[in-house]
Amino acid sequence: MKLNNDCVRNILLFIEANQTSGKTLHVESIIKSLKLTGYKEDEIKYALSKLNETPYVNFDLTEYNGLVLDGISGALTWEGHQFLDNIRNKSTWENVKSNIKEKVGNASITIIAAVAESYIKNKLGLN
């Protein structure tokens, strides 16, 4: 199954917007919300499963065959907030995706994070 990076970004945005201290955020609420924006349930579950392998979120998931069945989100990690801050702006996100697509076709989340950071540094005159 192909990982949809837009879906990953939207999951991170959802967690940030809906997570409150001391309150559990159920995976089902993430799935339900993202399905309303046009993502397929399997696509969301796969993205959740892959995000669980990153240093960006703390999840407690029940998985089967690489798809999330149930679970809760603890919160975004420090690295998750840093990554999200670099891709939050829609025009930055679109520029990063376009730049990657034009030059290499596609890239991993790790490369996307590096390109987004570099893009922002260039915009600020730090490179």
Side-chain angles (χ1 to χ4, degrees):
M1 179 170 235
K2 185 175 180 191
L3 180 62
N4 183 327
N5 291 324
D6 287 311
C7 186
V8 169
R9 177 179 175 268
N10 284 318
I11 289 169
L12 295 173
L13 288 167
F14 182 88
I15 292 170
E16 180 188 56
N18 292 281
Q19 185 65 55
T20 58
S21 182
K23 181 182 172 192
T24 301
L25 181 61
H26 290 272
V27 165
E28 190 55 43
S29 63
I30 298 170
I31 294 168
K32 185 177 181 180
S33 176
L34 267 66
K35 279 174 66 176
L36 293 175
T37 62
Y39 295 106
K40 295 177 183 166
E41 187 168 337
D42 283 351
E43 182 177 37
I44 300 164
K45 288 180 175 182
Y46 187 72
L48 286 164
S49 176
K50 296 296 112 187
L51 263 173
N52 193 41
E53 298 172 6
T54 73
Y56 299 146
V57 292
N58 290 321
F59 280 134
D60 182 11
L61 300 178
T62 303
E63 296 184 59
Y64 177 74
N65 260 355
L67 288 180
V68 173
L69 300 177
D70 192 18
I72 57 173
S73 168
L76 294 177
T77 63
W78 179 259
E79 291 89 354
H81 280 288
Q82 289 182 314
F83 177 55
L84 186 56
D85 284 344
N86 287 342
I87 63 168
R88 176 187 321 284
N89 180 285
K90 186 75 170 166
S91 67
T92 299
W93 175 245
E94 293 302 327
N95 186 291
V96 166
K97 287 191 327 178
S98 174
N99 194 12
I100 289 169
K101 185 176 183 179
E102 176 184 309
K103 293 182 178 167
V104 294
N106 53 28
S108 68
I109 290 291
T110 304
I111 298 298
I112 291 170
V115 171
E117 183 177 339
S118 178
Y119 174 80
I120 291 169
K121 284 181 177 179
N122 283 336
K123 285 290 220 182
L124 295 172
L126 299 174
N127 277 348

